[in-house]
Amino acid sequence: MDAPLLCKPTNQIRFMSNHSAKMGQHLDRLDDQAHEQSRKEAQERRQKKKDRKLVKKGKKDDVIADHVKASSTALQKNDDDMDREDDDEETEEEADGSVLPDPAQTRKRMNDIVNQFVDSLRGIRGSEPSADLFDTVTVNAYGANVPLNSIAQVTISSPTLAYANCFDPSLAKNVATAIRNQMVNLNPSVDDDGRGQVKIPLPRVSLETRQATAQQLRKRTEQYRAKIRGVRRSTLNVVKKGLAGKLEHVSKDDAFRVQQEIESVTEDCIKKLNEAADKKENDVMTG
């Protein structure tokens, strides 16, 4: 019999080495395939988690934006009327530019701006809600739009609940509709007992929302300061003519006196404006 063929030892070792390498690569591929699905699932879970955070943040930002928008609307109310009044008064002064402006009239115009600003602050919620929040709401009643406080009494039962008690129970639904349409994130309901009581749940205000409201308040305060400075500028334009001797029958001493009075009035009114704004901001941020 022929002797069996035997591989040389070196060839046998090389064969076993190549075979082991191929087996190792095959096992690595199997391992990769086995873990590939797990990696994909883990990646999908991470992405879903990120998406949930973004959605949550988006909703939170929307709530903050809505609250700031409501505060801005409260501050904006009656601005157009005030601007028109200012324009009318400035036109009269310009038409009568041959005499010095009356400091008393200038003070009245500036105080009107301060009072308008202070009134608008009532519509901004501080650390605790108050009935003033609803002062800007108007209700369709008896064929006309009337202030809410003329047809109902608003009471604050707790930091998260208010009631509007209508003097005429038949107007309760109109009151609820007006509050829902004109105030952000409020969803009132009418009690079924026929007493004309409107229940108004109040959401809690987060620190982040209060910070955004305070920032908006500071911006609006500066806008009202600019209004006061605008009145100052329009009156001093006439005074400057007197100081330059360009106004007939007006002495430079009289012009200087009026200038000093107007500067003093301006400082007083801006100080009152700043004090009102600081007090409201402290109220917003305290809590």
Side-chain angles (χ1 to χ4, degrees):
M1 293 180 60
D2 295 335
L5 295 175
L6 297 175
C7 294
K8 293 182 179 181
T10 55
N11 292 337
Q12 188 173 7
I13 292 172
R14 187 180 297 112
F15 172 78
M16 292 298 295
S17 176
N18 291 339
H19 182 70
S20 297
K22 290 180 179 179
M23 285 295 296
Q25 294 173 357
H26 181 65
L27 290 174
D28 288 342
R29 284 196 297 271
L30 290 176
D31 186 64
D32 289 341
Q33 291 174 359
H35 289 84
E36 183 178 2
Q37 184 63 29
S38 297
R39 286 195 295 271
K40 287 182 178 179
E41 292 176 355
Q43 186 176 6
E44 289 176 357
R45 286 196 297 270
R46 287 194 296 271
Q47 185 62 44
K48 288 180 180 179
K49 187 176 180 180
K50 290 181 180 179
D51 292 342
R52 286 195 297 270
K53 287 183 177 180
L54 290 174
V55 170
K56 185 177 180 180
K57 183 179 184 301
K59 291 180 178 178
K60 186 176 182 181
D61 290 345
D62 288 344
V63 171
I64 294 173
D66 287 343
H67 186 84
V68 174
K69 180 181 178 182
S71 299
S72 179
T73 300
L75 289 169
Q76 186 72 35
K77 193 172 180 60
N78 297 328
D79 272 7
D80 292 340
D81 292 340
M82 176 63 73
D83 289 339
R84 283 192 292 271
E85 291 173 6
D86 286 346
D87 290 342
D88 292 342
E89 293 182 9
E90 288 170 11
T91 300
E92 292 173 4
E93 283 189 353
E94 290 171 358
D96 192 17
S98 62
V99 298
L100 290 174
D102 182 2
Q105 182 63 27
T106 301
R107 179 183 292 276
K108 180 182 180 301
R109 291 175 61 191
M110 291 184 179
N111 277 329
D112 285 345
I113 294 173
V114 175
N115 292 335
Q116 182 207 14
F117 177 69
V118 172
D119 288 343
S120 70
L121 296 181
R122 295 203 303 263
I124 300 177
R125 178 174 175 177
S127 56
E128 295 294 334
S130 67
D132 293 340
L133 284 171
F134 300 89
D135 281 356
T136 60
V137 176
T138 58
V139 182
N140 185 3
Y142 312 117
N145 288 326
V146 299
L148 172 60
N149 57 19
S150 69
I151 61 171
Q153 181 182 16
V154 177
T155 58
I156 305 298
S157 175
S158 73
T160 58
L161 184 63
Y163 289 98
N165 298 291
C166 300
F167 306 140
D168 180 354
S170 67
L171 296 176
K173 290 185 178 179
N174 289 14
V175 168
T177 299
I179 293 173
R180 186 179 299 109
N181 292 342
Q182 297 175 38
M183 302 195 70
V184 178
N185 294 330
L186 294 188
N187 188 25
S189 59
V190 179
D191 289 346
D192 296 330
D193 54 13
R195 293 184 302 166
Q197 189 175 68
V198 180
K199 183 178 180 181
I200 313 167
L202 302 174
R204 290 192 176 275
V205 182
S206 67
L207 174 61
E208 194 171 355
T209 300
R210 284 184 277 135
Q211 289 173 337
T213 301
Q215 183 179 11
Q216 182 70 17
L217 173 60
R218 288 191 289 271
K219 290 180 180 179
R220 295 292 294 163
T221 303
E222 179 54 36
Q223 291 176 353
Y224 275 83
R225 289 193 200 102
K227 287 187 175 188
I228 292 175
R229 289 193 292 265
V231 174
R232 170 186 173 273
R233 183 171 54 253
S234 66
T235 55
L236 288 184
N237 284 340
V238 180
V239 173
K240 287 178 181 178
K241 294 180 181 180
L243 291 172
K246 296 181 179 179
L247 294 181
E248 189 176 359
H249 306 303
V250 173
S251 69
K252 293 183 180 181
D253 288 342
D254 287 341
F256 181 77
R257 176 183 54 79
V258 171
Q259 180 187 43
Q260 294 300 104
E261 290 186 37
I262 291 174
E263 295 289 10
S264 177
V265 167
T266 302
E267 291 179 6
D268 289 344
C269 289
I270 287 183
K271 181 180 179 181
K272 287 192 289 185
L273 184 76
N274 291 341
E275 289 174 348
D278 291 343
K279 181 179 179 181
K280 187 63 182 184
E281 182 173 346
N282 183 65
D283 187 26
V284 169
M285 295 305 300
T286 301

